[in-house]
Amino acid sequence: MTAKALLGIDEVADMVGVSTKTIERCITATETRGVVRPFPGWKRLGRRSVITPEAVKAWINTLPDA
């Protein structure tokens, strides 16, 4: 897998329409609290947290409709 196929916190926050802090809270969450929902699948690549686009789509599909 190449680095271009991976997304960082900034890119995911833009896709979902929330702040980077919210995504960071979701990454470490173990249970749902308000808008913070557990977001599994993140890996560390050096000092960056990255995830595949497929994992982001799967997580988005689990979110309740607005």
Side-chain angles (χ1 to χ4, degrees):
M1 183 176 301
T2 64
K4 289 187 179 196
L6 300 174
L7 301 171
I9 292 173
D10 294 338
E11 294 93 359
V12 174
D14 288 341
M15 286 174 65
V16 180
V18 297
S19 71
T20 57
K21 288 291 183 189
T22 300
I23 296 298
E24 290 169 355
R25 286 185 201 106
C26 290
I27 292 169
T28 60
T30 57
E31 61 185 54
T32 300
R33 291 188 184 189
V35 297
V36 176
R37 304 195 175 271
F39 197 164
W42 287 86
K43 305 289 183 202
R44 297 291 292 179
L45 183 63
R47 289 195 269 172
R48 267 184 80 196
S49 292
V50 294
I51 195 165
T52 63
E54 294 81 16
V56 174
K57 289 177 189 173
W59 181 72
I60 289 171
N61 289 335
T62 67
L63 297 176
D65 292 336

